[in-house]
Amino acid sequence: KQEVTQIPAALSVPEGENLVLNCSFTDSAIYNLQWFRQDPGKGLTSLLLIQSSQREQTSGRLNASLDKSSGRSTLYIAASQPGDSATYLCAVKNDGSYQLTFGKGTKLSVIP
Amino acid sequence: DVKVTQSSRYLVKRTGEKVFLECVQDMDHENMFWYRQDPGLGLRLIYFSYDVKMKEKGDIPEGYSVSREKKERFSLILESASTNQTSMYLCASSRTGLNSPLHFGNGTRLTVT
């Protein structure tokens, strides 16, 4: 059964710092990996989707990488801002499945 | 932009009531999903649907049912609400195609007393 882990559970950084969020998964037979952002009391917003054949995806200040063979993905946030404060979740879709398996998220606080 | 709309942001119901949670998407997506999110447990899939009138059980279907009579609408039904169903409920949709991203609504915070 696929398991997705995100460490640390919480992270606090000063504004302007570059930071990396980590995601690991136990079964490398994935179809894709998706990163989401969740603001308190709200739904999830899709940030980036990386297909299994891809190494990375970029959107603005965000860059997500995927190393399928080692079961790891990272989300790099450049020049962090207070508005980046949120919980970031990763989720993987296994081959042949409609379902996503979610990690429990990393709660990011960017201090002005 | 994809819009997934959940009819209620907050809902308070009594134990034993029948509860309907409604979700509508405006992008003609084939797939729709219901998740619940609880502290320490993360997101868990309750049911999903890949076509009108089609449904599949997720990881925790007990105590729930669903209805998809039209492509744009996916309803979650709590047949007899219990206090352990107090949770945040999230609806999501996506296109057919395994590399289509998932789009979420804003959630319904349900409290059962």
Side-chain angles (χ1 to χ4, degrees):
Chain A
K1 184 186 172 186
Q2 179 73 269
E3 291 181 9
V4 179
T5 304
Q6 293 183 251
I7 296 173
L11 181 65
S12 185
V13 300
E15 182 177 1
E17 194 163 293
N18 302 327
L19 62 101
V20 173
L21 304 180
N22 297 298
C23 172
S24 61
F25 46 93
T26 55
D27 183 353
S28 62
I30 66 168
Y31 208 83
N32 62 48
L33 184 145
Q34 199 167 351
W35 282 94
F36 295 88
R37 168 190 173 133
Q38 186 175 30
D39 293 293
K42 297 285 183 69
L44 281 68
T45 300
S46 177
L47 297 174
L48 291 163
L49 183 148
I50 311 177
Q51 299 178 31
S52 62
S53 58
Q54 297 174 326
R55 284 285 192 169
E56 62 179 63
Q57 281 285 335
T58 299
S59 175
R61 293 183 295 110
L62 305 179
N63 176 278
S65 69
L66 175 64
D67 185 341
K68 193 176 142 181
S69 60
S70 70
R72 291 183 182 179
S73 175
T74 61
L75 180 67
Y76 174 84
I77 302 177
S80 58
Q81 303 170 359
D84 295 329
S85 297
T87 297
Y88 291 82
L89 297 97
C90 68
V92 300
K93 181 178 284 185
N94 278 81
D95 282 343
S97 173
Y98 283 100
Q99 297 190 34
L100 295 183
T101 303
F102 283 83
K104 293 194 170 94
T106 295
K107 184 175 181 181
L108 173 66
S109 299
V110 181
I111 312 301
Chain B
D1 263 2
V2 177
K3 192 156 188 184
V4 180
T5 303
Q6 294 183 232
S7 54
S8 304
R9 290 283 284 126
Y10 300 95
L11 214 49
V12 180
K13 296 291 181 181
R14 294 199 178 275
T15 302
E17 279 193 77
K18 190 168 186 175
V19 181
F20 293 85
L21 302 183
E22 305 287 346
C23 175
V24 176
Q25 49 93 5
D26 67 355
M27 285 301 290
D28 203 35
H29 284 174
E30 292 80 12
N31 303 324
M32 296 189 76
F33 305 80
W34 275 107
Y35 289 87
R36 65 178 281 178
Q37 185 177 31
D38 300 286
L41 296 176
L43 275 87
R44 294 178 291 168
L45 182 65
I46 305 171
Y47 267 98
F48 68 98
S49 168
Y50 52 88
D51 201 352
V52 175
K53 296 192 186 294
M54 306 302 288
K55 61 185 179 185
E56 292 283 344
K57 293 180 180 178
D59 298 320
I60 50 163
E62 297 79 18
Y64 302 94
S65 62
V66 290
S67 171
R68 192 158 181 211
E69 296 296 318
K70 293 186 178 181
K71 192 175 185 180
E72 67 270 20
R73 186 179 296 269
F74 192 35
S75 302
L76 180 70
I77 303 154
L78 286 67
E79 298 290 343
S80 177
S82 63
T83 54
N84 63 12
Q85 292 178 310
T86 291
S87 186
M88 170 71 106
Y89 289 88
L90 295 164
C91 175
S93 72
S94 71
R95 290 202 182 283
T96 292
L98 291 174
N99 279 318
S100 297
L102 204 56
H103 299 271
F104 281 84
N106 267 333
T108 296
R109 171 77 63 186
L110 173 67
T111 302
V112 183
T113 62

